[in-house]
């Protein structure tokens, strides 16, 4: 405790409690979590190819969501903001020294199955997804699994809306070609 | 490669979103999708990703939302305490800086006016035969400098400056 705190007792505790109110109460958060956790985990696991990392980043995303003053009200906006936080955390993870950049990761990294912790993308997503660039996979997932619009994807990823349109168009065409190369049985059980 | 979306893509997307594709779609729309590269790509990719999403299951149960909520509360409180401690730290640094500045100023002042205080030792040694006389010399030397008022005054000013700075920054 610093000498100032002994002069002005409890200044920190009282004011901190007052300013530390979460953007939603515990019950509201519990309901929001129930409805969004599976989607967020699937996004993180599919894009990173690492379920353990997805677990960690998902928890951190929710904690950060609760620590900020949300710019918009409503579950849709909160959910979008949550995906934005998760996308930034993924990017930070790849940028950190010692971890490889998302653009430098070989596509085989995402399709390899070294141990139980690694998500078996070959069995779950199919070789087509494994051959996509990670950024394309992010965009495709947000657009086709989550149903976000170009504007929303731009907001989540930080890319320009016009770029999203072009990137998504190319990525969709590429993955459609790759999917068509596979037998129908594999495609139905991605 | 054209970037213009097919005019019927929205219609197809809506049916897919509602889960009505292909059962609730017209024969004409199905025929269109079979013949349109953009729409067929859209249907194929959307169905594949939605199936993958449904089948993405974590290997272990998710963390309880209550635990995450309390972790966030704790982090918010720590951040708030940290924010409030910033002005205190600033005031302490300011007060220390003022004190150091005064000390340096005093030394510079004395150096500029010669080491006059050395003469006090001479006077004191000459008059140490009488302790009372020595005290008299000490008092007269100190009052000559005016330090008995100046130093406590400046110290009080430094402390008050710190308090004022703290109060000012705390209200921001």
């Amino acid at each position: 405790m610093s000498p100032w705190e002994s002069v002005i007792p409890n200044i920190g505790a009282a004011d901190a409690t007052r300013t530390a109110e979460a953007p939603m109460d515990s019950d509201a958060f519990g309901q929001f979590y129930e409805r969004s956790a599976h989607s967020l985990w699937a996004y993180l696991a599919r894009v990173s190819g690492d379920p353990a990392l997805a677990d960690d980043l998902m928890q951190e995303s929710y904690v950060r969501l609760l620590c900020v003053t949300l710019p918009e009200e409503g579950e849709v906006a909160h959910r979008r903001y949550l995906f934005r936080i998760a996308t930034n955390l993924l990017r930070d993870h790849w940028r950190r020294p010692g971890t490889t950049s998302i653009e430098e990761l070989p596509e085989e990294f995402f399709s390899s199955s070294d141990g139980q912790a690694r998500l078996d993308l070959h069995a779950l997503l199919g070789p087509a997804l494994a051959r996509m660039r990670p950024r394309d996979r992010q965009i495709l997932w947000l657009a086709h699994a989550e149903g976000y619009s170009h504007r929303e994807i731009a907001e989540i990823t930080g890319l320009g809306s016009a770029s999203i349109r072009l990137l998504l168009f190319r990525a969709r065409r590429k993955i459609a070609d790759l999917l068509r190369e596979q037998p129908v049985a594999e495609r139905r059980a991605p | 490669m054209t970037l213009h979306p097919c005019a019927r893509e929205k219609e197809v997307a809506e049916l897919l979103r509602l889960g009505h594709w292909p059962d609730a779609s017209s024969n004409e729309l199905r025929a269109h999708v079979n013949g349109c590269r953009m729409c067929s790509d859209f249907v194929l990719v959307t169905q594949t990703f939605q199936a993958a999403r449904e089948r993405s299951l974590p290997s272990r149960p998710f963390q309880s939302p209550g635990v995450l909520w309390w972790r966030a509360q704790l982090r918010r409180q720590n951040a708030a305490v940290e924010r409030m401690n910033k002005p205190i730290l600033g005031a302490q640094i300011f007060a220390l800086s003022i004190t150091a500045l005064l000390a340096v100023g005093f030394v510079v002042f004395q150096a500029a006016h010669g080491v006059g205080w050395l003469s006090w030792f001479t006077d004191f040694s000459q008059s140490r035969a009488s302790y009372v006389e020595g005290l008299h010399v000490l008092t007269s030397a100190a009052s000559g400098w005016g330090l008995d008022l100046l130093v406590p005054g400046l110290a009080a000013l430094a402390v008050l400056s710190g308090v004022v700075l703290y109060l000012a920054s705390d209200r921001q």
Side-chain angles (χ1 to χ4, degrees):
Chain A
M1 182 186 279
S2 69
W4 291 91
E5 283 174 280
S6 58
V7 175
I8 312 168
N10 296 327
I11 183 173
D15 287 356
T17 307
R18 208 163 43 241
T19 56
E21 286 168 13
M24 57 180 99
D25 64 33
S26 179
D27 291 342
F29 173 69
Q31 289 167 10
F32 174 69
Y33 183 80
E34 288 297 320
R35 286 193 289 266
S36 57
H38 178 256
S39 300
L40 185 68
W41 186 86
Y43 169 64
L44 289 167
R46 296 295 183 174
V47 173
S48 70
D50 186 343
L53 178 67
D55 287 342
D56 292 345
L57 295 188
M58 187 179 85
Q59 289 179 27
E60 182 62 20
S61 301
Y62 280 107
V63 171
R64 288 196 185 193
L65 181 84
L66 286 169
C67 286
V68 296
T69 305
L70 295 168
E72 292 174 77
E73 281 298 317
E75 182 161 335
V76 175
H78 291 175
R79 199 184 172 100
R80 197 165 56 231
Y81 203 76
L82 182 68
F83 272 83
R84 186 175 170 181
I85 293 170
T87 302
N88 289 338
L89 285 173
L90 263 178
R91 195 178 300 145
D92 290 347
H93 172 77
W94 281 313
R95 279 179 183 168
R96 221 172 287 148
T99 54
T100 315
S101 158
I102 188 169
E103 299 300 340
E104 291 168 8
L105 286 172
E107 283 153 1
E108 291 74 24
F109 171 82
F110 293 93
S111 58
S112 65
S113 53
D114 52 338
Q116 288 188 334
R118 180 78 63 214
L119 189 66
D120 190 352
L121 287 176
H122 184 83
L124 294 172
L125 272 177
L129 272 176
R131 288 167 66 185
M132 298 298 292
R133 286 191 310 166
R135 187 179 63 184
D136 290 343
R137 191 180 314 192
Q138 276 181 317
I139 295 168
L140 282 167
W141 189 270
L142 291 169
H144 293 283
E146 293 300 323
Y148 282 121
S149 68
H150 294 177
R151 188 184 57 79
E152 288 172 321
I153 296 170
E155 200 178 301
I156 289 168
T157 58
L159 296 167
S161 198
S163 309
I164 295 293
R165 194 172 162 218
L166 182 64
L167 289 168
L168 188 57
F169 177 82
R170 286 179 179 160
R172 187 163 57 214
R173 180 148 290 194
K174 182 181 173 187
I175 200 168
D177 287 340
L178 292 168
L179 286 169
R180 286 195 182 95
E181 287 171 10
Q182 294 175 51
V184 174
E186 262 185 56
R187 201 189 308 158
R188 292 235 170 108
Chain B
M1 188 183 284
T2 176
L3 259 178
H4 296 295
C6 174
R8 306 200 72 175
E9 194 180 288
K10 278 189 179 170
E11 192 182 345
V12 175
E14 184 64 9
L15 285 169
L16 279 165
R17 193 182 66 79
L18 296 170
H20 294 170
W21 176 268
D23 302 330
S25 61
S26 64
N27 289 336
E28 183 267 329
L29 186 61
R30 278 201 291 264
H32 166 78
V33 169
N34 283 336
C36 173
R37 172 74 197 270
M38 291 190 100
C39 287
S40 62
D41 283 358
F42 192 91
V43 169
L44 175 62
V45 174
T46 303
Q47 284 182 327
T48 305
F49 271 81
Q50 286 185 350
R53 182 179 182 268
E54 293 305 312
R55 291 171 197 215
S56 296
L57 295 172
S59 53
R60 56 181 176 169
F62 289 141
Q63 179 77 272
S64 153
V67 172
L68 294 179
W69 197 80
W70 281 112
R71 261 177 63 189
Q73 282 293 94
L74 196 63
R75 195 180 289 185
R76 285 172 70 88
Q77 284 200 11
N78 287 341
V81 168
E82 203 173 305
R83 271 199 305 276
M84 291 185 184
N85 282 341
K86 266 186 188 171
I88 295 174
L89 184 68
Q92 287 172 335
I93 291 170
F94 179 76
L96 192 65
S97 308
I98 292 289
T99 309
L101 199 68
L102 285 172
V104 170
F106 175 73
V107 170
V108 169
F109 176 81
Q110 286 301 315
H113 289 81
V115 277
W117 51 271
L118 281 176
S119 63
W120 174 80
F121 282 109
T122 314
D123 293 346
F124 185 71
S125 60
Q126 283 173 356
S127 60
R128 69 181 175 182
S130 164
Y131 179 70
V132 177
E133 280 179 14
L135 275 180
H136 174 70
V137 171
L138 175 66
T139 311
S140 59
S143 55
W145 299 335
L147 290 178
D148 51 346
L149 288 175
L150 185 67
V151 172
L154 289 175
L157 182 67
V159 171
L160 281 173
S161 305
V163 172
V164 168
L165 184 74
Y166 162 71
L167 292 174
S169 54
D170 191 38
R171 281 183 188 153
Q172 285 172 359

